[in-house]
Amino acid sequence: MIRLALTIVAGVILGGIVHLVSVLALPRIASHDAYSRLTPMTELNAVTALPSADPSRSPMPFMDPAFAMAICRYDLSAGPLKLTVPVSQAYTSVSFYTRSEIAYYAINDRSAGKKVIELDLMTEAQHDDLPEDEEVTAADRLIIDSPSTTGLIVLKALAAEPGLMPQAQASLAAASCRTQTEPAPAKQAKR
Amino acid sequence: MRLLFVTVLALSLATFVGIGTTWMTATKGTDLGTLTIGSWTARPKTGTADIDPYSRATIVRNGELPIGTGDGVAFTTVSDDKKRPLDGRCDVVLSGVTPPARFWTLTLYDGKGHLVANALQRYGFTSQEIVRAADGSFEIHVASRSRSGNWLPTGGIERYQLMLRLYDTPVGVATRSQREAPMPAITTVGCPT
């Protein structure tokens, strides 16, 4: 009888360990996460517009139908990324996600405070390699450190009414995200 | 023989308990870091790098992207203020005011987070589309049949959920109470029997 009780206790404790391991492992082994879903329909290091949310075809659950959305799926292994998003009339935001969907940074048009949201995205190692030039680190150049080499940038523009959707989509169509071919700091330092 | 039986029992129990609890927490969620106001709940930390492992597991399993904290915060509900599950065949009224935000959107989803098809192609409202009373308060009728004023069609599905997203808002990780974030009341006013 004692042996049976001990067996059950051991089983439950082991079960707790299985639970913790599986919860922590789930983000690594999941194959239908947002990044995997978006991979076939988006280009790497370029802005791809997503079709507007619709009952029959939505790339992801819980999408907000009031927004035009575009995705920049990035890979920083070839160098830092430059992101330029013109602000729409209503509301524009840019959110950054790691490969495993952790939202590590988000900014909207008002917090950016400009007509165009301009950002440089790089890994921490690339950030450390930047020459320490005061002009380069000036406030007008916003640098975001990505915790992972790959990830997603989500660009959103509000269509306050369904009729404004084409305008919101058009403003996102003017956004760009591309790998910086030559190091930008050298160029800026010459000025 | 006995040792074998004991080992098999312990291991199968471990598998059952471990996978079972993981499945439960990944589908139903946990109360970790949850902000509850009326029947609405939000998890502001899911939009930050401090997200808890359970919310991460849920998000990855659903395949969704959580709203970032610098962008906004999302409140969901599956029941009215009397804890009655939201039923698409009933008349449900959302009324009152919303927390401070630059704007908000209200969206109706089925249990899996998909939009619900309807003839009007209306899946939600933005704060700018709403017809309001003179004092700024509003009423939204969530029902299967057409209503005057702000009508959000349910398509007649049995269970649905509502998501209220506040954008560019002070509501977030530090918010604790109804006073800081007054959420609209949800009342089931009638059900065809």
Side-chain angles (χ1 to χ4, degrees):
Chain A
M1 203 59 215
I2 292 171
R3 181 174 285 199
L4 185 68
L6 277 177
T7 309
I8 290 172
V9 168
V12 169
I13 291 171
L14 269 178
I17 296 170
V18 169
H19 169 66
L20 288 179
V21 169
S22 56
V23 164
L24 294 175
L26 206 77
R28 286 170 214 283
I29 56 177
S31 55
H32 284 282
D33 62 331
Y35 188 95
S36 314
R37 285 172 190 232
L38 291 170
T39 299
M41 58 179 91
T42 54
E43 287 173 53
L44 192 64
N45 293 339
V47 176
T48 314
L50 283 190
S52 50
D54 183 275
S56 54
R57 48 165 175 84
S58 268
M60 290 176 284
F62 298 108
M63 278 172 67
D64 195 330
F67 279 89
M69 276 177 80
I71 301 283
C72 168
R73 187 164 54 89
Y74 66 81
D75 183 346
L76 300 174
S77 49
L81 201 74
K82 187 153 201 74
L83 177 78
T84 316
V85 186
V87 164
S88 75
Q89 286 175 358
Y91 173 89
T92 308
S93 75
V94 181
S95 313
F96 295 79
Y97 300 88
T98 64
R99 169 65 186 83
S100 49
E101 288 91 19
I102 293 178
Y104 62 91
Y105 187 74
I107 189 172
N108 64 45
D109 49 0
R110 196 168 282 176
S111 44
K114 286 193 218 166
K115 286 262 157 60
V116 180
I117 301 174
E118 274 185 301
L119 299 165
D120 288 346
L121 184 71
M122 54 189 76
T123 61
E124 278 168 35
Q126 286 162 349
H127 197 168
D128 291 342
D129 289 346
L130 283 183
E132 283 189 42
D133 187 320
E134 279 178 49
E135 278 178 284
V136 173
T137 48
D140 61 286
R141 192 154 168 257
L142 190 51
I143 297 175
I144 312 294
D145 286 347
S146 171
S148 61
T149 317
T150 55
L152 296 169
I153 307 173
V154 177
L155 320 175
K156 295 198 295 189
L158 173 73
E161 300 165 23
L164 298 174
M165 188 54 93
Q167 260 175 275
Q169 285 167 338
S171 93
L172 284 190
S176 81
C177 98
R178 55 180 165 26
T179 309
Q180 289 168 359
T181 39
E182 56 187 284
K187 254 197 275 178
Q188 289 206 347
K190 276 179 202 162
R191 278 184 208 163
Chain B
M1 192 60 212
R2 206 170 191 188
L3 184 70
L4 184 73
F5 169 74
V6 164
T7 316
V8 167
L9 179 67
L11 287 181
S12 50
L13 199 64
T15 313
F16 181 74
V17 169
I19 304 292
T21 47
T22 300
W23 184 79
M24 286 278 288
T25 53
T27 46
K28 297 198 171 164
T30 59
D31 284 342
L32 274 178
T34 303
L35 169 63
T36 305
I37 294 171
S39 62
W40 300 93
T41 56
R43 292 191 176 81
K45 276 206 174 160
T46 56
T48 68
D50 295 336
I51 180 170
D52 66 273
Y54 289 104
S55 303
R56 270 191 77 183
T58 308
I59 281 163
V60 166
R61 187 184 168 278
N62 288 350
E64 61 180 303
L65 287 174
I67 180 168
T69 304
D71 191 18
V73 62
F75 283 85
T76 51
T77 182
V78 293
S79 65
D80 70 4
D81 287 346
K82 289 180 178 159
K83 306 271 179 252
R84 181 181 171 146
L86 294 173
D87 189 327
R89 297 160 298 189
C90 301
D91 283 15
V92 173
V93 176
L94 244 85
S95 59
V97 289
T98 51
R102 193 153 132 207
F103 67 95
W104 51 259
T105 66
L106 178 78
T107 316
L108 187 146
Y109 298 102
D110 67 8
K112 289 188 167 170
H114 300 128
L115 300 172
V116 178
N118 62 75
L120 212 60
Q121 291 187 311
R122 175 165 286 291
Y123 312 115
F125 282 103
T126 70
S127 49
Q128 293 169 39
E129 289 175 298
I130 290 282
V131 181
R132 289 167 194 271
D135 63 353
S137 66
F138 62 86
E139 270 194 359
I140 297 172
H141 294 264
V142 191
S144 59
R145 296 267 179 95
S146 118
R147 294 286 179 276
S148 62
N150 307 306
W151 171 47
L152 184 55
T154 63
I157 59 166
E158 200 174 325
R159 292 280 176 269
Y160 64 90
Q161 51 185 319
L162 293 171
M163 192 177 265
L164 184 75
R165 292 182 177 94
L166 309 167
Y167 289 93
D168 203 353
T169 173
V171 177
V173 180
T175 307
R176 291 282 171 272
S177 68
Q178 169 99 34
R179 198 160 44 83
E180 297 166 78
M183 295 296 291
I186 308 168
T187 326
T188 304
V189 291
C191 264
T193 44

